[in-house]
Amino acid sequence: QVQLVESGGGLVQAGGSLRLSCAASGRTFSSYAMGWFRQSPGKEREVVAPISGSGGGIYYASSAKGRFTITRDNAKNTVSLQMNSLNPADTAVYYCAAHRLNYDGVYVSPTYDYWGQGTQVTVSS
């Protein structure tokens, strides 16, 4: 069982930055592919940036490429999402997720095993 707790959401003006963090419980954090997802009202949950267990593999959705950076610290059981140049289209609830893999890979599918409670990000114009 993995518990995930997100933090760092909030209200920011367009062009601003936010850093989301996710703290995970458990002793085998590096065995889990991690990912950030987001969901806006009336829309399906979408992948933002997943990362492999070692951190060596990363994928960015086209909406995140060049503006967001995902990192993980396996010693601290944390994964972070640095978001720059935010715009109102980035307004959503952001979720951290964990998926157990038996190989070191990036998991892009939304069918993750564990999810955090989500943190609201609101970007004003």
Side-chain angles (χ1 to χ4, degrees):
Q1 188 78 8
V2 175
Q3 293 184 328
L4 304 171
V5 179
E6 301 103 333
S7 61
L11 174 64
V12 64
Q13 288 188 333
S17 299
L18 279 175
R19 184 177 181 84
L20 305 182
S21 294
C22 174
S25 65
R27 291 176 288 181
T28 58
F29 181 67
S30 61
S31 299
Y32 289 84
M34 301 296 295
W36 285 98
F37 291 77
R38 68 186 185 186
Q39 187 167 20
S40 304
K43 294 186 178 181
E44 291 187 355
R45 189 171 297 185
E46 62 176 358
V47 65
V48 175
I51 187 169
S52 65
S54 68
I58 294 174
Y59 169 86
Y60 291 106
S62 57
S63 59
K65 203 170 295 183
R67 300 187 300 129
F68 295 1
T69 302
I70 186 171
T71 56
R72 67 186 294 162
D73 186 335
N74 287 342
K76 296 182 178 179
N77 282 19
T78 60
V79 60
S80 299
L81 184 69
Q82 176 67 40
M83 304 187 294
N84 299 327
S85 301
L86 286 162
N87 59 66
D90 296 315
T91 295
V93 177
Y94 284 71
Y95 296 91
C96 172
H99 191 77
R100 185 68 182 261
L101 289 178
N102 57 11
Y103 61 93
D104 185 35
V106 176
Y107 195 70
V108 181
S109 168
T111 58
Y112 273 59
D113 296 324
Y114 304 101
W115 293 85
Q117 81 287 354
T119 185
Q120 177 70 46
V121 171
T122 302
V123 184
S124 63
S125 57

